[in-house]
Every structure is written in C-alpha cells, then in structure tokens.
Amino acid sequence: EPLAWTPGQSTSFFLTNDQSHAQMNEFSCKDVANALSLANMILGLFSIICSFCKRSHCACWMLLISFLIDMAIGAITRHLTICSKSGVELNDFAVFTTFGLASALLLGVNGPLNGFLAIIYILATSFRLCSYSTCKWNSNIPFMYKGLPCPYASCVLASTSLLTKGNPLILSCMASLMVLFMIDQSYYPHDGILESETWKKIVYLGGVIMLFLFPFSITAFYCLMWSLSYIFFPDALWGKAMCLKLQQEGN
C-alpha cells in the first residue's frame, strides 16, 4: 500500500536538506582555512631550509607570503565564525613554525650571540602564543590582542633582512625590539584588514601585488612601513574602525 503523504514529512525532508547544505558549507570553509594553515606551515618549513642553505632572500620572501596568508586565514575564520580544535591547533603550530622558528633563523646561528638571540626570539613567540591560547575564532572573540602578534614581528624581520641584505647588527637590534613588543602586555587591535575599511583592503592588495610583481627592495619597504604603522600607531590607524564599532554597540 502506498505511503500517505503528510505535510510534516515534506517539511522535515526540506529542513534536513537545508541543514545538510549548511553543514557541507561549514566543512568546506573549514577545509579552506585548514589548507591555508597547512600552506603557511609548508612555507615556514621551506623558509627554514632556505636559511640553512644561505638563501636569505628566498626565506624572507616566503615569510612575507605567509604574513599575507595568515591575514586571509583570520578573515575567513572570523567572518564565518569557524572554530574547531584541530583547526586551531594546526594554525597555532603553523604560526610557531613560520613566525617563530623560521623567523628566528633569519638571525643566523653562526655565533653564540646570534644563536642565543634566536632562542630568545623563539621563546618570545611561544610566550605570545601561550598567552593567547584560547580559541580566537569563536563568537566571543575579543577586539584586542595582548602583545604584538607574531606575524607582524616576522614581517618586520623579513623586511629588514631584505633591505639591509642580512646585516647581523641591524637584524639583532630589530629582533630584540620585536621580542620586547611581543612579551609586552600592551594591547593591539584586531586589524581586520579584509573585513574593515576599503583603504585597508587596498593596503593588503598592494602587498600582494608588490610581492609578486615588484623588486624585493620596494616590497620590503612597503611591508616594513605597513608593519611599523601597526606597531607604533595601533589605535590611531588600525583600531579606529573597531573603536567606532564598540561605541555603536555601547549606544
């Protein structure tokens, strides 16, 4: 005997389909974010190999690409409110590998002083990640970072290395300064470049274009100015939109 059709069954069927599509979209977005994190880590590993092979230009170039990829990961996960334990762990490991180990090796390990400073830089990166070990991409995400984010410190080191042709004294001074900023308890705003004002998106797009089409020196200068503006003018430039958002929510 044919089954009787009821409206409730049809509604349940379509709701199930909608839920399935939503789950598939969520999984696909998670896969994209995880793939970018994995690409970030692979670039960091190649940067480490390049540093050991004395090809600092290639090592710095990969770190700058990772800097841009990391911003894309943050934009995807914050915009879609994606948070998974495995994804967070993968991203944290990628950040440590790329912006910790690979960046520290730009200082070189030829002498005891350089090696000691590289260890201090890695420890500072670890401290920075541990102090921000909670899930960064849930709905209760704070609007501020505590301590300078590791990607900006890495971008400064990579840009400085390209501009100075790996001058050990200048790199050591810059690395020491970045260590102080990372372990400092000052607050830095979520830059949200891909989710904020148009001019910030243009800054990001300019970095992508310069990285692949312009000489190393021009690209390095651009990225250095970009990072230093965030470090020294966090609220006046990069946190202005977030402050306005907080004021609107308060009203």
Side-chain angles (χ1 to χ4, degrees):
E1 182 180 357
L3 293 175
W5 173 84
T6 60
Q9 289 177 343
S10 177
T11 303
S12 175
F13 174 77
F14 285 111
L15 284 176
T16 302
N17 279 347
D18 291 340
Q19 291 173 355
S20 299
H21 286 304
Q23 290 178 353
M24 290 177 63
N25 290 334
E26 181 181 355
F27 283 128
S28 62
C29 292
K30 285 182 180 179
D31 290 338
V32 171
N34 290 339
L36 289 175
S37 295
L38 185 61
N40 199 346
M41 183 171 61
I42 291 174
L43 285 172
L45 292 173
F46 274 112
S47 178
I48 291 173
I49 294 174
C50 289
S51 293
F52 279 121
C53 294
K54 307 298 182 182
R55 302 191 64 179
S56 59
H57 279 69
C58 292
C60 294
W61 187 68
M62 291 178 185
L63 290 178
L64 293 180
I65 295 177
S66 296
F67 173 69
L68 297 175
I69 291 178
D70 184 76
M71 290 190 175
I73 295 172
I76 292 173
T77 51
R78 283 194 297 267
H79 181 68
L80 300 175
T81 62
I82 301 172
C83 180
S84 65
K85 184 178 179 182
S86 60
V88 172
E89 291 176 350
L90 175 61
N91 186 70
D92 285 345
F93 187 67
V95 169
F96 177 75
T97 302
T98 303
F99 304 122
L101 292 175
S103 301
L105 286 177
L106 294 179
L107 302 172
V109 290
N110 299 326
L113 292 179
N114 287 344
F116 178 75
L117 183 56
I119 292 174
I120 295 297
Y121 189 91
I122 294 172
L123 292 176
T125 305
S126 302
F127 173 81
R128 175 65 184 79
L129 290 174
C130 290
S131 65
Y132 197 61
S133 59
T134 56
C135 181
K136 297 173 281 188
W137 303 320
N138 55 30
S139 59
N140 297 321
I141 183 171
F143 293 110
M144 305 294 286
Y145 294 115
K146 199 171 185 180
L148 178 66
C150 308
Y152 280 97
S154 175
C155 183
V156 169
L157 280 186
S159 301
T160 302
S161 178
L162 288 172
L163 289 172
T164 63
K165 297 183 179 180
N167 185 288
L169 179 60
I170 298 177
L171 270 180
S172 297
C173 293
M174 193 62 76
S176 301
L177 187 61
M178 292 301 103
V179 167
L180 294 177
F181 279 122
M182 281 192 289
I183 65 176
D184 186 24
Q185 298 301 295
S186 299
Y187 287 94
Y188 292 87
H190 278 170
D191 45 347
I193 286 180
L194 297 179
E195 313 142 78
S196 190
E197 300 102 319
T198 303
W199 72 268
K200 293 183 181 179
K201 298 176 183 178
I202 294 175
V203 169
Y204 182 89
L205 182 61
V208 174
I209 294 174
M210 287 194 170
L211 196 61
F212 292 100
L213 299 179
F214 283 73
F216 279 138
S217 57
I218 298 177
T219 303
F221 182 77
Y222 182 89
C223 292
L224 182 62
M225 292 299 101
W226 176 1
S227 299
L228 291 179
S229 68
Y230 176 81
I231 294 172
F232 292 106
F233 306 102
D235 296 323
L237 288 176
W238 302 100
K240 185 177 180 181
M242 193 57 65
C243 292
L244 293 175
K245 182 177 179 180
L246 291 174
Q247 290 177 359
Q248 293 174 356
E249 291 179 354
N251 295 332

